[in-house]
Amino acid sequence: MKTLFLYNWQVRNDWFSWCEDVSEDELLKTRIGGVGGILKTLYHIVYLEYSWIHSVVQGKADFGQEPFEAHSSLRQVQDLSMQFHAEVEPFVMSWTSEMERNELTLLRDNGEWITYKHGEIMRHVIAHEIHHMGQLSVWAREIGREPITANLLRRGLFN
Amino acid sequence: MKTLFLYNWQVRNDWFSWCEDVSEDELLKTRIGGVGGILKTLYHIVYLEYSWIHSVVQGKADFGQEPFEAHSSLRQVQDLSMQFHAEVEPFVMSWTSEMERNELTLLRDNGEWITYKHGEIMRHVIAHEIHHMGQLSVWAREIGREPITANLLRRGLFN
């Protein structure tokens, strides 16, 4: 579990560094697929990870999300990522297999109550970020730039 | 570990079904990013998963890969996926935490010998497929179609 979170955080930071060489116009440009743009995707994965982990930590759903427009510069999204990381990291790094089957019950948008296992939520968060990074890799090629590698090997993540 | 493999297999099969409603021209069309096309991506993830797991099972590297051109129809890639799955699934479903630190030593293209832990390889395979499915989701929107959801929740994968 921890390895895939460490992977996502490393890949995310690689993408933040990658963004520093790309114009703000390109980062903000509306694109086809996903949530529709490079910086908006980074904002989206930062917020989603935090919202789920915060809900798990607090024991209740908390998906109040500020609009992207309130954080629409690279620096602001990076700052948000670092700020949220302060809550996310200790929880992930203290993860044990005993926590897999703990439960979070929340009200879905359709009015139904649903119960998720914490282990299921953690894997959802992992897959969500990797999926969106795959989208960034296509958009990177579209603007003629080499994407961040998705390779998990040789990153020193598994010791 | 198993949950994310089950997730990938379910998502992959959803993409195979999705492909049935898309013309062969669109499936084979060269696209920007990734390995350059929809069917080629499915072939690539099927082969990569098999190659790594086969290497782990056999205890030696085996990355001989037939060219995509030998399997360039939807039916052929689906058949290959099913055929390889017969070896991959029993290994994944018998996975235990004691296997995490088993080792595979192989010769890299650059002539160096390298040793990977089995747990590291398994997570690489997981992340690799999710990443490429993210690319498919962008290309799906480019041809005006709704992509397969990346949502891991409510798939009945975590019992």
Side-chain angles (χ1 to χ4, degrees), chain A:
Chain A
M1 186 73 86
K2 288 169 200 166
T3 304
L4 284 165
F5 274 96
L6 290 170
Y7 165 79
N8 272 344
W9 299 336
Q10 202 175 88
V11 170
R12 187 196 302 175
N13 283 331
D14 288 350
W15 277 108
F16 277 135
S17 300
W18 179 96
C19 285
E20 285 170 9
D21 295 325
V22 175
S23 73
E24 194 165 62
D25 278 0
E26 291 287 11
L27 297 181
L28 293 175
K29 188 178 164 187
T30 300
R31 297 176 193 281
I32 294 173
V35 297
I38 295 172
L39 197 58
K40 209 168 182 176
T41 298
L42 288 162
Y43 177 75
H44 175 67
I45 54 108
V46 162
Y47 232 114
L48 184 127
E49 180 187 72
Y50 171 74
S51 298
W52 275 113
I53 305 260
H54 183 68
S55 297
V56 164
V57 169
Q58 298 287 319
K60 59 187 179 190
D62 181 11
F63 292 104
Q65 182 170 332
E66 294 174 65
F68 172 62
E69 289 64 31
H71 303 270
S72 58
S73 78
L74 176 59
R75 185 61 49 207
Q76 284 172 305
V77 179
Q78 276 182 299
D79 286 349
L80 196 70
S81 178
M82 279 194 293
Q83 178 196 322
F84 284 172
H85 196 64
E87 176 165 343
V88 168
E89 188 187 27
F91 180 77
V92 170
M93 299 315 285
S94 68
W95 183 263
T96 62
S97 57
E98 288 72 35
M99 297 155 78
E100 292 277 3
R101 309 200 71 76
N102 291 346
E103 294 183 345
L104 174 69
T105 298
L106 55 84
L107 191 60
R108 293 184 63 199
D109 290 343
N110 65 5
E112 286 174 10
W113 286 94
I114 190 160
T115 297
Y116 296 117
K117 300 282 194 295
H118 287 188
E120 183 181 13
I121 291 171
M122 296 293 269
R123 285 167 185 82
H124 173 63
V125 170
I126 288 167
H128 181 265
E129 181 149 347
I130 303 172
H131 176 82
H132 281 294
M133 297 303 99
Q135 297 174 332
L136 290 192
S137 75
V138 170
W139 295 335
R141 290 290 183 197
E142 281 177 3
I143 58 176
R145 289 180 179 268
E146 178 145 357
I148 297 304
T149 177
N151 199 332
L152 184 139
L153 301 172
R154 300 185 298 282
R155 284 180 179 269
L157 296 176
F158 199 86
N159 298 308

Side-chain angles (χ1 to χ4, degrees), chain B residues 76-94:
Chain B
Q76 285 172 306
V77 179
Q78 276 182 298
D79 286 349
L80 196 72
S81 179
M82 279 194 294
Q83 179 195 322
F84 285 171
H85 195 63
E87 177 164 342
V88 168
E89 188 188 28
F91 180 77
V92 171
M93 298 316 284
S94 67

